[in-house]
Amino acid sequence: MASPCDEVPELLSKLYAVVRRLEELFPERRFTPDGILAGHLGEVLAARDYALKLLPQGTPVHDAETTDGTRKVQIRMTQRGESLEFSDNGADWILAVRMDEKGRIEEIYNGPNSLLKDEAQRKQRKMSRAGYFSLTVRDLRGLMEKVPGGERLPRIC
C-alpha cells in the first residue's frame, strides 16, 4: 500500500485534471480548488510533510500539534498568491506553505507568530475588520531567516 507521501500527488494530479477539463468545457468559469477545500488540503499536506497531528476540525486558532504535544501550529496555505493573511488570534506557531498542482508544498514560513505580528506593526499593516493582516511571501521568507533552523518544525516528506 502506498504511503500518504506517495499517494497524494497522484490524487491531486487527478483533481487538477478534472479542474482543467471543467475549465475547457466552461471557459467562462474558473474551477480553482480554493476556500475550504484548499485550506483542508494545506492542513493535511502540512501534517503529512511535518509529522503533525491534526486537531479536530473546528478547533479554534490551531490546526495541528507536534506529535509530542509541545507545540501547537496554525497552518496557512496559498496556491498562487503572493501574500497570506494572518490574525492576531494568539496562535503559537505558524507554518505557511504554497501548494502546487501535484500536492508538493513549498515552505514559506515556519516560525513563531510573534515575528509576524511584529513585522505587521513595523510595516504598519492595518488589521481588516475581521482582525486579519496581510504579509507578502517575500516578507515571510525574509522573516523565516530569523528563525534558527533547529527551532523550525522538521520536514519529513
Side-chain angles (χ1 to χ4, degrees):
M1 186 159 95
S3 77
C5 293
D6 300 326
E7 189 174 358
V8 171
E10 179 185 340
L11 291 171
L12 285 175
S13 290
K14 290 177 182 179
L15 173 66
Y16 279 96
V18 169
V19 165
R20 283 189 295 279
R21 182 63 183 136
L22 286 168
E23 289 176 344
E24 289 169 4
L25 292 170
F26 305 101
E28 66 280 0
R29 292 287 183 261
R30 299 270 330 238
F31 292 89
T32 305
D34 58 9
I36 292 172
L37 175 61
H40 288 179
L41 285 170
E43 290 170 6
V44 299
L45 292 173
R48 173 200 71 184
D49 286 8
Y50 292 84
L52 299 172
K53 178 184 167 200
L54 289 171
L55 297 172
Q57 192 169 327
T59 299
V61 183
H62 297 100
D63 303 303
E65 64 184 5
T66 54
T67 53
D68 63 5
T70 59
R71 189 178 286 169
K72 296 208 182 298
V73 181
Q74 184 178 90
I75 300 165
R76 305 296 294 165
M77 195 273 293
T78 186
Q79 293 179 79
R80 296 183 185 112
E82 287 303 315
S83 65
L84 286 160
E85 288 192 337
F86 302 92
S87 94
D88 187 10
N89 60 7
D92 297 331
W93 201 262
I94 303 291
L95 179 59
V97 297
R98 179 180 284 168
M99 181 186 77
D100 71 12
E101 293 184 4
K102 295 187 180 200
R104 294 177 299 218
I105 61 171
E106 169 194 2
E107 183 178 83
I108 297 170
Y109 180 78
N110 179 348
N113 191 26
S114 59
L115 280 179
L116 303 184
K117 293 189 286 189
D118 292 347
E119 181 71 1
Q121 288 176 344
R122 189 182 75 74
K123 290 195 168 206
Q124 298 180 337
R125 298 286 165 89
K126 296 190 182 199
M127 289 272 193
S128 70
R129 285 188 177 153
Y132 288 89
F133 60 90
S134 179
L135 291 172
T136 67
V137 168
R138 184 177 177 171
D139 291 337
L140 294 166
R141 286 186 177 133
L143 288 171
M144 192 166 72
E145 291 178 11
K146 297 179 180 182
V147 181
E151 291 182 21
R152 297 178 192 163
L153 298 170
R155 187 166 182 163
I156 62 158
C157 278

